Amino acid sequence: EEEEAGDQAPPDGSYTDWMQRKDSAWIEYFDFDRVVQPLKLWHKDKTEDNVMLIVGDQGSGKTSLVNRLSEAWTDTPISILNIPAKTVDANAVLPMIGQHLTIPKLHTVAELAKVDPDLEPQVVILDNTHNLFLSEVGGLDAYRTLSQCLNAHLDNIFWVVVMHAPSWHYLSCVFRREQRFSHIIRMPRWSPADIRKLILSRHQGSRRRIRYDELLLSASAGNESSSVRAADSRVFNILWEQSGGNPQVAIHLWLAGARSKERVVELGVPSRPSTSPLKALQDDPCFVFAAIVIHKALNTEELMQVTHFPEAIVRHGLKQGLNLGLLWRDESKRYRIQPSWQGT
């Protein structure tokens, strides 16, 4: 569209920072009642099922869903217990839950069941539950302790467990006979329309115009306006396919194909990284990357524990991952897979 006359204000900040900002925007991409219904049945004493699992890939919207649930649910108190990384000591799990529930000196599941009648009905969201394990001998006891809590007969606590999808896949194989999740909410893929709405709603506030690459425009016959519309449709179809419907991945792929120049964003074809660099690697760094995928985030010492590799091999694998742009290190000094690399 034509710029309004006199609109000479400069763009707002870094385009990358703007597109990756944390906000409360929510795209209605699936039925929220699916999440609330089990809580309603429990609250009305129509079921004894008091455990729900929310599982999804990194960037799939778990945090947004939890935040919305904490705002929308008003029938009982609701609270969020964020599991610190890495809590693998079994003796630390129950005291942490006890502190959250204001139950002093909670050390056994039997004690939790004993005080349950004195508690008011409430919903407890256990976020980042994947922080309760390391995939090695002795590294699963903390998660086993949590499983015992979930299996306890409690009338006044509804547990909502939030977990990284690859971690859940691993733990469901290890604890196949011990898992007790009556309700499993798997974060769905966003639709092409919702991905487009998310991208453009963030882009619009950056005060920049979109200009498509000549290759995208020339692929369509017709006049200039029809070429722009065709390029727009093509870009968002490609973006959805490459991102797998994951909103965070879609934003990173959009930025990978974008070049911001003053008031204009020139957009090329968004594409996720090639598999060729991975095929050229030896097995050791691939095992390092696989361990990070399973646990979502690990530091050097934790990687040495789960891979049983010497420090030199682990650090070399991390260096290769950083050089490829495959890894990044978060504020806790733990390594994670870059969102744009998840599909690859």
Side-chain angles (χ1 to χ4, degrees), residues 43-192:
H43 181 56
K44 294 177 180 178
D45 293 328
K46 293 184 177 180
T47 179
E48 294 183 356
D49 292 337
N50 67 327
V51 182
M52 180 168 64
L53 173 69
I54 297 176
V55 60
D57 289 322
Q58 178 178 298
S60 59
K62 297 188 299 298
T63 300
S64 296
L65 179 58
V66 165
N67 291 339
R68 186 180 179 199
L69 178 61
S70 62
E71 295 172 358
W73 179 256
T74 57
D75 293 350
T76 67
I78 185 170
S79 59
I80 301 176
L81 173 56
N82 191 2
I83 308 294
K86 274 294 191 176
T87 307
V88 294
D89 182 3
N91 296 323
V93 175
L94 283 167
M96 177 176 59
I97 293 175
Q99 182 180 6
H100 184 77
L101 298 173
T102 63
I103 303 173
K105 299 180 180 179
L106 180 64
H107 296 292
T108 67
V109 177
E111 293 173 2
L112 178 60
K114 185 177 180 180
V115 301
D116 175 62
D118 300 326
L119 299 175
E120 65 173 323
Q122 58 189 292
V123 176
V124 179
I125 300 174
L126 302 173
D127 201 4
N128 293 316
T129 316
H130 46 263
N131 284 331
L132 287 174
F133 83 101
L134 288 173
S135 59
E136 62 151 352
V137 176
L140 299 164
D141 294 338
Y143 182 77
R144 178 176 282 111
T145 300
L146 175 67
S147 296
Q148 293 170 356
C149 288
L150 302 180
N151 287 321
H153 182 74
L154 304 176
D155 293 324
N156 291 321
I157 297 180
F158 191 100
W159 304 102
V160 178
V161 179
V162 185
M163 192 179 301
H164 182 51
S167 299
W168 163 246
H169 178 72
Y170 173 83
L171 291 170
S172 62
C173 292
V174 176
F175 294 95
R176 183 175 298 276
R177 299 176 63 183
E178 301 176 41
Q179 298 284 18
R180 179 185 174 248
F181 290 105
S182 308
H183 310 283
I184 299 179
I185 305 295
R186 291 180 171 84
M187 301 302 294
R189 299 204 306 170
W190 287 31
S191 70

